[in-house]
Amino acid sequence: MPTRKKFVAGNWKMNTTLAEAKALAAAVAKGVGADARVTVAVCPPFPWLTAAGEAVRGSAVALGAQDVAFEKKGAFTGEVSPAMLLDAGCTYAIVGHSERRHVLGESDAAINQKVHTALEEGLHVILCMGETLAERERGLQERVFQRQVFAACAGLTDEQFARLVIAYEPVWAIGTGKVATPEQAQEAHRFVRGKLRLLYGDKIADATPILYGGSVTADNAAGLLHQPDVDGALVGGASLKADSFLAIVKAAQG
Ligand code: PGA
């Protein structure tokens, strides 16, 4: 059995003041310290990246952005390039979060372009995918997984795959308190890994971490993280308090 290191990332979304972001990042850094058994990342809003990066410096906590531009530079008002994120201290960028797909209308093609641009420039990518409630109710989730993974990963090299993390986030579970059961998560993750195996081979299928996201809390994390194909968690609401986020990190360590 391949061993994949567990990964816990906090997606702060459009929350925190500068002072709160600094304090939260510092508290996470203090709690994690130099312990690198689990990969831990925090993803603050763009304007707080540098300050949060300073707060986690010297700890094992990595910095991530919540999104990234689809082009490398130029006249793209409001966009933030991969090079800027790297300069700000980021290792990771989240791409294709459901709020960007469904609220801001990002297409599979745009997400594929962002994945390519970010990886070409040297970032690691946390690629989000997952079905809506309507799609699950109609039994379409596996078709959606296949389409989203295939579209987002089209054209990646093996070296680029080595910097890709997938996050399965059922839209009906995000911010709703309705977490997927460990069995539902495992079933989805196993399907996605199976597709990776079919499309890209054993090495990529076995090495790619697949995180679960959607109402993960300190109370439900352990059950999800013990599933064989669940390699970690992408945490929204529960990442805004250091105690609950660190409890999820602890569940991943245990
Ligand atoms: P949630 O968000 O943990 O608040 O459900 C998860 C996410 O959107 O990444």
Side-chain angles (χ1 to χ4, degrees):
M1 268 296 275
T3 51
R4 289 176 296 272
K5 189 169 167 178
K6 290 272 193 286
F7 189 131
V8 177
N11 173 9
W12 298 359
K13 307 193 181 181
M14 200 170 69
N15 295 297
T16 67
T17 62
L18 175 57
E20 286 164 354
K22 283 188 195 172
L24 180 54
V28 171
K30 186 160 177 266
V32 172
D35 190 334
R37 277 177 293 165
V38 170
T39 304
V40 179
V42 291
C43 304
F46 285 136
W48 311 156
L49 282 172
T50 310
E54 272 163 28
V56 298
R57 188 168 304 144
S59 77
V61 178
L63 192 66
Q66 298 172 19
D67 189 30
V68 62
F70 53 92
E71 289 284 355
K72 291 180 183 167
K73 66 183 289 192
F76 299 100
T77 301
E79 291 295 292
V80 180
S81 74
M84 291 169 187
L85 296 180
L86 287 162
D87 238 357
C90 289
T91 308
Y92 296 92
I94 297 172
V95 175
H97 190 277
S98 78
E99 285 143 22
R100 301 212 61 90
R101 288 180 191 263
H102 300 294
V103 183
L104 294 151
E106 274 186 22
S107 66
D108 282 324
I111 289 162
N112 177 247
Q113 205 180 337
K114 287 186 174 192
V115 169
H116 273 277
T117 306
L119 291 172
E120 275 164 26
E121 292 286 273
L123 285 165
H124 293 235
V125 166
I126 302 172
L127 167 70
C128 300
M129 38 84 53
E131 82 287 6
T132 62
L133 182 60
E135 286 162 343
R136 180 163 279 265
E137 281 173 350
R138 292 166 61 205
L140 295 175
Q141 63 269 27
E142 293 186 346
R143 260 197 253 174
V144 173
F145 304 162
Q146 180 162 331
R147 191 200 76 229
Q148 290 179 336
V149 171
F150 187 70
C153 299
L156 296 186
T157 63
D158 284 9
E159 185 279 324
Q160 289 173 332
F161 256 111
R163 285 181 286 117
L164 186 80
V165 175
I166 292 177
Y168 167 58
E169 300 207 304
V171 179
W172 47 270
I174 296 177
T176 59
K178 279 191 207 142
V179 64
T181 64
E183 294 72 26
Q184 282 173 321
Q186 169 57 22
E187 202 184 344
H189 287 222
R190 194 184 49 213
F191 179 87
V192 171
R193 200 177 305 286
K195 281 293 154 203
L196 291 178
R197 196 173 305 285
L198 209 67
L199 293 165
Y200 308 109
D202 287 340
K203 195 163 150 252
I204 285 169
D206 289 333
T208 304
I210 307 179
L211 318 183
Y212 168 80
S215 297
V216 177
T217 62
D219 292 334
N220 62 32
L224 291 157
L225 291 165
H226 285 141
Q227 296 300 314
D229 286 299
V230 178
D231 304 313
L234 180 54
V235 186
S239 72
L240 292 171
K241 294 261 182 305
D243 286 355
S244 52
F245 185 64
L246 289 167
I248 295 167
V249 173
K250 197 154 177 244
Q253 288 166 338

